[in-house]
Amino acid sequence: MVHGRISRLSVRDVRFPTSLGGHGSDAMHTDPDYSAAYVVIETDSEDGLQGCGITFTLGKGTEVVVCAVNALTHHVLHKDLRDIVGDFRSFYRQLTSDGQLRWIGPEKGVVHLATAAILNAVWDLWAKQEGKPLWKLLVDMDPRMLLSCIDFRYITDVLTEEEAYEILQKGQVGKKEREKQMLTHGYPAYTTSCAWLGYSDTTLKQLCAAALKDGWTRFKVKVGADLQDDIRRCRLIRDMIGPEKILMMDANQRWDVPEAVEWMSKLAEFKPLWIEEPTSPDDILGHATISKALAPLGIGVATGEQCHNRVIFKQLLQADALQFLQIDSCRLGSVNENLSVLLMAKKFGIPVCPHAGGVGLCELVQHLIIFDFISISGSLKNRMCEYVDHLHEHFKYPVIIKQASYMPPKAAGYSTEMKEESVQKHQYPHGEVWKKLLPAQED
């Protein structure tokens, strides 16, 4: 049973200098420093448990998210955790509908990222107090209780609460067998670690060979900066993995709509399953145009890692604008909003293939996609979860990958808790790492 009144909320700016090695580089983000606004919630409970939540960022923007977290803190302090989870929909709406902060959203951008960090911490604390990993907390939850966590405002034209209840009720059938399947075999993953745009051919080959040796069968390559370079790199990786293994491509929003169609027509020979973020993440009709144009080539469109909220996802689904839906555990308003998107995807019959990587995104989203399979989708067809082999060592309970699959976490919580020594070492700008780097960068 949840208990305790929230007595403290702290947030820190944690940054890792990944730009120095080209890790995470793509056509739009050439020098990312993988970072996180790291939130810790404490209560007056004698159990001493803390709720830990993060929002992933790429460096300088972290300080802005930290400011937004601090601006939202008054909505959280002194609240009873039992009251929050007992009417989670109202608490969610309180955070997302702040009469003044809403003006610089609403439910999008920096404020929504900050909301996700806070709510991720609340969910982590709830799961810890229940003694369950987050995915298991969700799987075991009564459908009505689960639905009470979701704000259905703005999406009832495509998904009512009663329709969502029917989906969850149908998901009860075979649920125990699917949970056993996850515990035994895990959830299938694909790797993005081999082919960041800033990697040399030598690095790409070495990482790809190592991944193949480790049993990976699904690979993603970054594209979009230079067509001839893309053709060369895609040929290199396709030759290495062979014709039977799955290849995806990711342009990270680089192209205009006609350019995306033309560019992908030239890359179609490498048989990509999808092109991810081919244009602006806000261009719903543009994605629909690209989807229609690429369908004869057998190339799907995937998007969602920078999708603002459930409303944009609703329209992408309505417009037949994507064939693979990519939720993000920090871009949306935490578990609450992701639940609504998982349910809409089920209604539209679109497979969910989450965005991960970054700082802690793999740790977070594994819970959501395992829950989705057990309780909502009931299918692994055309489904896989992204994996990036970076920075897991900084988490108390890092992801476990076996045979290219996510194994369900067993520790209580949302897997968001970072090692304190890592936080202190990488806290910006006074952590040990940045004290060494900043003078050199300033020179």
Side-chain angles (χ1 to χ4, degrees):
M1 180 66 68
V2 291
H3 54 273
R5 188 174 295 274
I6 296 173
S7 57
R8 184 169 184 264
L9 187 155
S10 62
V11 57
R12 286 180 282 180
D13 182 338
V14 183
R15 307 187 195 181
F16 300 90
T18 50
S19 61
L20 299 179
H23 310 308
S25 54
D26 59 54
M28 290 294 277
H29 312 94
T30 56
D31 60 345
D33 285 326
Y34 275 16
S35 309
Y38 183 57
V39 170
V40 176
I41 288 176
E42 301 174 25
T43 74
D44 59 8
S45 173
E46 293 181 358
D47 61 21
L49 293 174
Q50 296 178 332
C52 304
I54 61 171
T55 274
F56 170 58
T57 59
L58 287 185
K60 296 176 184 176
T62 318
E63 58 202 71
V64 186
V65 178
V66 167
C67 288
V69 169
N70 286 323
L72 289 166
T73 298
H74 69 282
H75 289 294
V76 184
L77 288 176
H78 313 305
K79 291 285 196 306
D80 192 295
L81 190 61
R82 186 183 295 108
D83 293 338
I84 290 175
V85 303
D87 190 8
F88 216 149
R89 182 182 301 167
S90 295
F91 182 69
Y92 176 88
R93 192 173 289 189
Q94 183 180 348
L95 286 176
T96 58
S97 299
D98 180 292
Q100 296 180 12
L101 294 177
R102 190 178 188 277
W103 191 257
I104 54 173
E107 297 183 69
K108 63 173 73 75
V110 171
V111 178
H112 214 43
L113 291 171
T115 298
I118 292 171
L119 290 175
N120 284 340
V122 172
W123 280 97
D124 180 58
L125 182 56
W126 184 3
K128 284 176 177 175
Q129 288 195 355
E130 295 287 359
K132 297 179 180 181
L134 189 278
W135 68 266
K136 182 63 172 169
L137 176 70
L138 296 174
V139 165
D140 291 347
M141 199 178 293
D142 176 79
R144 288 294 183 194
M145 180 66 179
L146 197 72
L147 295 175
S148 73
C149 300
I150 300 172
D151 189 351
F152 283 89
R153 182 165 55 178
Y154 308 136
I155 63 171
T156 56
D157 52 328
V158 301
L159 183 73
T160 65
E161 188 167 345
E162 282 307 308
E163 286 177 313
Y165 179 74
E166 290 177 11
I167 290 172
L168 290 173
Q169 281 295 92
K170 290 178 180 176
Q172 298 293 314
V173 179
K175 193 164 75 169
K176 289 183 179 179
E177 290 76 14
R178 291 192 295 275
E179 181 174 339
K180 184 178 179 181
Q181 180 181 341
M182 284 291 99
L183 290 169
T184 303
H185 301 290
Y187 197 95
Y190 74 86
T191 179
T192 304
S193 299
C194 302
W196 297 111
L197 204 61
Y199 282 177
S200 67
D201 287 358
T202 300
T203 299
L204 190 155
K205 289 178 181 178
Q206 289 173 345
L207 293 175
C208 191
L212 287 165
K213 187 176 180 180
D214 287 339
W216 289 92
T217 60
R218 306 172 184 91
F219 299 79
K220 190 166 77 179
V221 58
K222 297 289 184 174
V223 298
D226 178 89
L227 178 57
Q228 294 308 313
D229 190 54
D230 285 348
I231 291 172
R232 182 183 56 78
R233 292 172 71 252
C234 288
R235 179 169 288 119
L236 189 157
I237 194 168
R238 176 53 87 185
D239 287 346
M240 286 198 70
I241 68 175
E244 301 304 319
K245 293 182 174 60
I246 297 173
L247 180 66
M248 289 81 71
M249 298 179 184
D250 187 355
N252 289 95
Q253 316 150 38
R254 183 62 184 257
W255 303 317
D256 283 345
V257 172
E259 187 180 17
V261 175
E262 181 181 1
W263 203 298
M264 286 309 300
S265 297
K266 302 286 180 55
L267 296 180
E269 65 174 291
F270 304 109
K271 304 297 181 185
L273 177 66
W274 75 53
I275 177 59
E276 185 174 330
E277 287 197 313
T279 191
S280 165
D282 299 341
D283 191 356
I284 296 159
L285 297 183
H287 276 85
T289 298
I290 296 167
S291 293
K292 185 177 181 180
L294 296 184
L297 299 175
I299 303 172
V301 167
T303 194
E305 72 178 83
Q306 296 216 27
C307 184
H308 293 305
N309 49 47
R310 64 195 181 282
V311 182
I312 301 297
F313 272 120
K314 178 189 76 170
Q315 294 174 79
L316 287 165
L317 291 165
Q318 287 175 309
D320 293 325
L322 77 174
Q323 287 69 53
F324 301 91
L325 187 150
Q326 297 174 307
I327 58 169
D328 184 281
S329 53
C330 298
R331 179 69 57 179
L332 297 184
S334 187
V335 177
N336 311 69
E337 191 167 29
N338 272 295
L339 290 173
S340 68
V341 176
L342 291 173
L343 287 161
M344 285 192 290
K346 171 63 176 179
K347 180 177 177 180
F348 280 83
I350 297 296
V352 176
C353 300
H355 169 244
V359 179
L361 295 186
C362 296
E363 278 72 18
L364 285 160
V365 82
Q366 62 179 335
H367 291 270
L368 300 179
I369 200 62
I370 289 169
F371 160 74
D372 178 59
F373 171 68
I374 295 171
S375 296
I376 298 180
S377 75
S379 172
L380 293 179
K381 184 179 180 181
N382 287 329
R383 296 167 189 269
M384 60 191 112
C385 186
E386 184 173 22
Y387 175 73
V388 177
D389 189 18
H390 296 314
L391 308 175
H392 304 294
E393 67 274 17
H394 301 291
F395 286 83
K396 191 173 181 180
Y397 303 105
V399 294
I400 296 174
I401 297 289
K402 289 184 179 179
Q403 296 181 329
S405 295
Y406 281 90
M407 300 310 295
K410 295 182 179 178
Y414 200 2
S415 305
T416 42
E417 187 170 350
M418 298 185 75
K419 296 176 180 176
E420 181 59 28
E421 58 268 31
S422 288
V423 174
Q424 291 184 10
K425 185 176 180 179
H426 294 88
Q427 187 169 346
Y428 187 89
H430 302 301
E432 176 186 334
V433 166
W434 294 103
K435 282 183 179 178
K436 294 178 180 178
L437 285 174
L438 286 175
Q441 290 183 349
E442 289 170 357
D443 291 343

